[in-house]
């Protein structure tokens, strides 16, 4: 009878509330619904299928306890996401990157929950995978939190990696950790990257078999660690590797778009089959070592290289090595020929092999330089933050980059308490930095004081006399008459509020009404944020979703013809949504029909 009751209680039509009610009716049903039985295991699997991989099939679990814990964590996460949304100030126009104004140290709340990490992540993924056009604000902050949580986990893994003995630090694993940290929302695993590299290794073996069917590398199994002692066998592997990698698979150095950060991410190198010297070297070196050829990384200036020893024993003589240029299709160079790559002479020290930690520092340093030379948008600031985090995890006492990190956080207005910690560390490492440190300490303390007494956002009512010339409202999908870009309005001013320098740079005086007209904050389809004059904007003839990363910060839903402002934006523009609805009705409805139902309008 108990088995039959369990079977009935596992029908899909019954949810957890039904099971709770049933278990309260009598002792028999309470026992049938016991936490270690099938009933609550079924409910758990039904509600959170993604979490099944965290449980061993042959283990016994108290499923009722697991269900309750996961349910409570879900409620806590949602409350935290909603509270961060309400506390995030949206008063500052996004003519500057938003990353400096969002979230800050609110993430500490997630850590303080003390909940299992996979429970938190599952709830956040549940929010992100809900209806595409709705709950945009909730999704915006859920994505930010998920980004943070994953990065924290990756940083912990990197620290464990760096604590291993040098001989146990794989360059590939380090490159994957860097990739994961900079792309925490992408599904990148060491297992998947290794599997792709193993496929390339199999192609090299296939090519090698044609050239030499008795080659010892062909007898090696996957995962074997071996070194070919015979130099001729090594040469055959290198020739086969070059033929497969550069001729068959068409890998190449990315000369046209050298400073694209994608060139440094190993999953993108495998996907796009292009990269820069250091990322291609990691791939090449990993493949060579799988096939028995021990190559070493060389931190050559401006052009990373690999070296291949031509002597039976490890040598200190730079002329006992052949240097491989992976960016140049595996070209082999003698010691002094390498100088032709950079067009100046270097000392013997630059031909030395480096450790995995030094290789990772160079890789992160490349990303850091790309972030520094960026255009000052959110993407470049994020890259700069990520690469600084990585660099200082590997080399925590670098005063130059600690100071840069403190300045960056100060500029973006985030984590002021962390800024003070960084400055204190800098002062301990290098007392000569007291001038720069003192300035930042003073202004950071002022920022903390300002946070305790936040300024209320300005409320802009359309009915105010000074706003009579403002034609458009937040949430409307617009088109720029001159530039042709599509955008959504998320704010406005009755007149241009930018500096005279900006007005001159943007040639506002050439407009028919100059700066003396309404200007609109808009999120543009290409991911930028702009400040556009009213005379340059017109309602879009066929409204479309704006794929901008900050849309969820201001809007909660896309409603076919316009965006619906969230509570925070509506509080600032309390009369705008009524205006938006009237405008939409006038523009896109005739006799109650939407424009997309009447193509002739």
């Amino acid at each position: 009878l108990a088995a039959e009751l369990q079977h009935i209680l596992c029908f899909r039509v019954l949810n957890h509330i039904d099971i709770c009610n049933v278990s309260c009716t009598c002792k028999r049903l309470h026992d049938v619904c016991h936490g270690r039985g099938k009933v609550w295991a079924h409910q758990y699997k039904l509600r959170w299928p993604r979490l099944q991989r965290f449980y061993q099939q042959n283990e016994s679990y108290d499923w009722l306890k697991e269900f309750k814990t996961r349910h409570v964590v879900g409620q806590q996460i949602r409350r935290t996401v909603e509270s961060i949304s309400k506390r995030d100030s949206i008063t500052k126009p996004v003519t500057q990157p938003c990353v400096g104004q969002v979230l800050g140290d609110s993430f500490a709340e997630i850590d303080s929950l003390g909940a299992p990490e996979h429970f938190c992540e599952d709830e956040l993924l549940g929010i992100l995978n809900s209806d595409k056009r709705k709950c945009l604000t909730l999704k915006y902050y859920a994505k930010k939190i998920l980004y943070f949580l994953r990065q924290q986990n990756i940083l912990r893994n990197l620290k464990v990696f760096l604590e291993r003995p040098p001989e146990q630090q794989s360059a590939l694993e380090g490159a994957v950790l860097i990739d994961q940290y900079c792309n925490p929302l992408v599904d990148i695993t060491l297992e998947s990257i290794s599997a792709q590299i193993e496929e390339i290794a199999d192609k090299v073996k296939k090519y090698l078999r044609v050239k030499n069917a008795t080659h010892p590398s062909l007898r090696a199994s996957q995962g074997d660690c071996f070194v070919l002692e015979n130099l001729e066998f090594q040469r055959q592997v290198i020739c086969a590797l070059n033929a497969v990698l550069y001729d068959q698979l068409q890998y190449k150095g990315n000369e046209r778009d050298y400073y694209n950060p994608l060139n440094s991410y190993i999953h993108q190198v495998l996907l796009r089959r292009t990269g820069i010297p250091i990322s291609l070297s990691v791939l090449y070196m990993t493949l060579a070592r799988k096939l028995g050829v021990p190559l070493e990384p060389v931190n050559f200036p401006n052009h990373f290289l690999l070296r291949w020893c031509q002597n039976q024993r490890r040598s200190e003589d730079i002329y006992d090595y052949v240097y491989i240029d992976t960016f140049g299709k595996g070209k082999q160079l003698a010691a002094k020929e390498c100088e032709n790559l950079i067009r100046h002479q270097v000392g013997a020290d630059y031909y030395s092999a480096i450790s995995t930690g030094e290789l990772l520092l160079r890789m992160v340093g490349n990303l850091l330089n790309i972030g520094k030379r960026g255009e000052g948008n959110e993407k470049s600031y994020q890259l700069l933050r990520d690469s600084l985090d990585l660099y200082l995890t590997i080399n925590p006492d670098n005063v130059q980059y600690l100071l840069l990190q403190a300045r960056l956080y100060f500029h973006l207005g985030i984590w002021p308490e962390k800024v003070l910690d960084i400055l204190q560390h800098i002062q301990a490492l290098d007392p000569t930095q007291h001038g720069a440190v003192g300035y930042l300490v003073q202004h950071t303390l002022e920022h903390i004081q300002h946070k305790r007494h936040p300024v209320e956002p300005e409320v802009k009512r359309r009915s105010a006399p000074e706003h009579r010339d403002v034609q458009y409202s937040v949430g409307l999908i617009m088109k720029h008459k001159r530039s042709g870009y599509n955008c959504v309005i998320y704010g406005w001013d009755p007149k241009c509020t930018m500096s005279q320098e900006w007005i001159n740079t943007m040639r506002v005086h050439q407009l028919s009404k100059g700066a003396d007209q309404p200007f609109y904050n808009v999120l543009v389809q290409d991911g930028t944020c702009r400040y556009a004059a009213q005379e340059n904007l017109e309602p879009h003839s066929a409204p479309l979703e704006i794929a901008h990363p900050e849309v969820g910060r201001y809007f909660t839903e896309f409603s076919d013809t316009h965006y619906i402002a969230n509570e925070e934006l509506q509080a600032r523009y309390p009369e705008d949504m009524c205006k938006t609805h009237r405008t939409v009705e006038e523009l896109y409805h005739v006799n109650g029909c939407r424009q997309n139902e009447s193509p002739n309008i």
Side-chain angles (χ1 to χ4, degrees):
L1 180 61
E4 292 173 352
L5 286 171
Q6 278 190 349
H7 181 71
I8 293 169
L9 292 171
C10 286
F11 282 3
R12 293 184 69 90
V13 294
L14 299 176
N15 61 28
H16 64 285
I17 297 173
D18 297 322
I19 301 302
C20 286
N21 291 335
V22 167
S23 67
C24 293
T25 56
C26 67
K27 186 177 185 304
R28 178 181 290 275
L29 285 172
H30 179 273
D31 292 342
V32 170
C33 297
H34 189 268
R36 293 192 180 275
K38 293 180 180 178
V39 178
W40 279 107
H42 172 75
Q43 284 294 325
Y44 191 94
K45 184 176 182 179
L46 204 62
R47 188 163 175 190
W48 299 296
R50 284 189 299 263
L51 293 175
Q52 292 307 302
R53 61 192 176 92
F54 293 99
Y55 297 95
Q56 302 295 327
Q57 288 187 351
N58 56 349
E59 291 287 330
S60 176
Y61 299 96
D62 186 337
W63 290 105
L64 176 56
K65 183 179 178 182
E66 291 292 303
F67 192 101
K68 286 179 178 177
T69 305
R70 172 63 184 83
H71 180 72
V72 170
V73 168
Q75 290 179 318
Q76 290 173 322
I77 289 291
R78 283 185 176 263
R79 279 197 297 268
T80 302
V81 175
E82 289 167 0
S83 71
I84 291 175
S85 164
K86 287 178 171 53
R87 277 177 285 145
D88 178 27
S89 168
I90 59 171
T91 60
K92 193 174 180 181
V94 187
T95 47
Q96 299 176 23
C98 299
V99 71
Q101 301 135 39
V102 299
L103 301 176
D105 50 7
S106 300
F107 288 125
E109 295 175 21
I110 303 293
D111 281 340
S112 67
L113 294 179
E117 190 176 292
H118 56 284
F119 282 6
C120 298
E121 183 164 317
D122 187 66
E123 183 64 30
L124 293 167
L125 286 171
I127 294 171
L128 291 172
N129 293 331
S130 60
D131 190 331
K132 181 185 175 186
R133 293 183 168 190
K134 296 184 177 179
C135 303
L136 299 181
T137 299
L138 204 63
K139 288 178 185 175
Y140 174 81
Y141 290 101
K143 188 175 181 180
K144 293 282 184 184
I145 292 169
L146 183 62
Y147 195 103
F148 170 80
L149 288 178
R150 286 188 173 175
Q151 280 196 327
Q152 292 301 104
N153 188 44
I154 295 160
L155 219 51
R156 285 193 291 270
N157 292 340
L158 177 59
K159 288 174 181 176
V160 170
F161 173 86
L162 294 169
E163 287 169 359
R164 294 183 202 160
E167 63 274 10
Q168 294 179 20
Q169 294 178 358
S170 149
L172 178 66
E173 186 176 352
V176 169
L177 286 166
I178 289 171
D179 192 348
Q180 289 174 328
Y181 193 80
C182 294
N183 303 283
L185 301 180
V186 181
D187 187 18
I188 304 162
T189 64
L190 179 60
E191 292 73 24
S192 64
I193 297 296
S194 296
Q196 292 177 68
I197 290 177
E198 199 63 51
E199 287 179 13
I200 300 174
D202 288 342
K203 292 182 191 298
V204 178
K205 286 182 180 180
K206 186 177 179 181
Y207 184 95
L208 199 55
R209 188 173 287 111
V210 174
K211 298 295 182 180
N212 181 0
T214 62
H215 195 285
S217 291
L218 300 176
R219 299 193 295 272
S221 302
Q222 183 175 332
D224 283 358
C225 185
F226 70 102
V227 174
L228 295 168
E229 298 297 336
N230 185 289
L231 198 61
E232 176 55 25
F233 286 149
Q234 289 190 18
R235 187 193 64 78
Q236 290 173 13
V237 168
I238 295 295
C239 289
L241 180 50
N242 285 344
V244 170
L245 205 60
Y246 299 111
D247 297 334
Q248 284 186 20
L249 299 178
Q250 296 289 299
Y251 276 79
K252 62 181 183 298
N254 195 344
E255 295 180 7
R256 291 186 178 181
D257 194 15
Y258 191 89
Y259 294 101
N260 188 330
L262 298 183
N263 294 324
S264 294
Y265 304 144
I266 195 69
H267 87 279
Q268 286 289 347
V269 172
L270 290 165
L271 178 67
R272 299 158 74 232
R273 300 189 181 185
T274 188
I276 52 176
I278 193 166
S279 56
L280 291 171
S281 291
V282 169
L283 173 61
Y284 194 104
M285 180 172 60
T286 303
L287 285 164
R289 287 182 177 178
K290 278 181 177 293
L291 298 164
V293 182
L295 301 181
E296 297 174 299
V298 176
N299 204 14
F300 202 70
N302 302 321
H303 200 107
F304 202 85
L305 297 169
L306 296 173
R307 72 178 192 177
W308 170 29
C309 189
Q310 302 297 290
N311 200 316
Q312 289 293 341
R313 292 175 297 178
R314 187 178 175 88
S315 172
E316 298 299 323
D317 189 340
I318 65 172
Y319 295 100
D320 282 341
Y321 292 87
V322 165
Y323 298 85
I324 298 175
D325 177 13
T326 60
F327 192 77
K329 297 190 174 183
K331 186 177 180 181
Q332 296 176 17
L333 304 166
K336 285 301 174 181
E337 287 181 307
C338 300
E339 295 175 355
N340 295 330
L341 296 171
I342 57 175
R343 296 177 183 175
H344 66 82
Q345 295 182 341
V346 296
D349 290 348
Y350 289 101
Y351 291 90
S352 301
I354 59 169
S355 67
T356 297
E358 291 170 310
L359 181 148
L360 297 183
L361 272 182
R362 170 116 175 213
M363 185 173 273
V364 172
N366 289 338
L367 288 169
L368 213 157
N369 288 330
I370 295 170
K372 284 195 287 188
R373 61 186 286 161
E375 298 175 355
N377 54 28
E378 179 171 6
K379 194 173 287 187
S380 62
Y381 277 121
Q382 188 65 58
L383 179 60
L384 189 54
R385 285 177 60 188
D386 290 345
S387 51
L388 276 171
D389 288 346
L390 288 166
Y391 198 99
L392 291 168
T393 299
I394 303 168
N395 185 11
D397 294 336
N398 186 300
V399 171
Q400 176 191 351
Y401 287 132
L402 282 167
L403 197 54
L404 178 59
Q405 187 179 55
R407 283 173 173 154
L408 178 64
Y409 286 169
F410 174 76
H411 171 71
L412 296 176
I414 56 175
W415 289 331
E417 291 79 7
K418 185 173 181 179
V419 172
L420 292 178
D421 290 341
I422 296 168
L423 294 173
Q424 188 176 13
H425 185 43
I426 293 170
Q427 190 65 36
L429 290 171
D430 184 2
T432 65
Q433 297 288 340
H434 65 273
V437 168
Y439 173 85
L440 287 173
V441 166
Q442 178 187 343
H443 286 82
T444 302
L445 290 172
E446 290 174 3
H447 177 65
I448 291 172
Q449 190 65 27
H450 177 73
K451 275 178 62 182
R452 291 173 185 157
H453 307 284
V455 178
E456 287 296 317
E458 179 189 359
V459 175
K460 295 184 177 180
R461 298 185 180 276
R462 308 187 65 80
S463 55
E466 64 271 22
H467 299 154
R468 62 181 178 276
D469 294 331
V470 179
Q471 293 181 18
Y472 306 124
S473 48
V474 298
L476 285 177
I477 311 297
M478 310 296 286
K479 190 176 188 72
H480 196 278
K481 296 177 184 177
R482 297 188 179 188
S483 303
Y485 62 71
N486 304 321
C487 60
V488 57
I489 297 171
Y490 71 91
W492 48 260
D493 297 308
K495 292 187 173 33
C496 181
T497 60
M498 299 299 281
S499 67
Q500 190 59 48
E501 182 184 358
W502 185 91
I503 290 171
N504 294 338
T505 302
M506 302 304 294
R507 300 177 182 175
V508 173
H509 61 278
Q510 293 183 3
L511 299 173
S512 61
K513 295 184 180 178
D516 191 25
Q517 63 174 307
F519 271 70
Y520 297 84
N521 301 110
V522 295
L523 302 175
V524 184
Q525 187 80 21
D526 65 4
T528 60
C529 308
R530 306 196 189 182
Y531 197 49
Q534 182 165 280
E535 67 179 76
N536 281 337
L537 293 176
E538 61 183 356
H540 204 288
S541 59
L544 72 169
E545 285 188 83
I546 303 298
H548 192 286
E550 296 292 314
V551 160
R553 189 169 181 228
Y554 302 94
F555 304 101
T556 187
E557 183 179 341
F558 178 66
S559 183
D560 293 330
T561 54
H562 63 286
Y563 278 92
I564 297 173
N566 59 22
E567 289 181 24
E568 293 70 46
L569 193 61
Q570 286 195 46
R572 190 174 181 205
Y573 297 93
E575 299 170 357
D576 266 44
M577 286 315 298
C578 288
K579 168 66 175 173
T580 298
H581 286 129
R582 287 198 303 272
T583 303
V584 165
E585 287 290 327
E586 293 168 5
L587 288 172
Y588 310 122
H589 289 68
V590 173
N591 296 327
C593 295
R594 290 189 183 278
Q595 184 186 17
N596 58 13
E597 296 170 356
S598 306
N600 295 325
I601 297 173

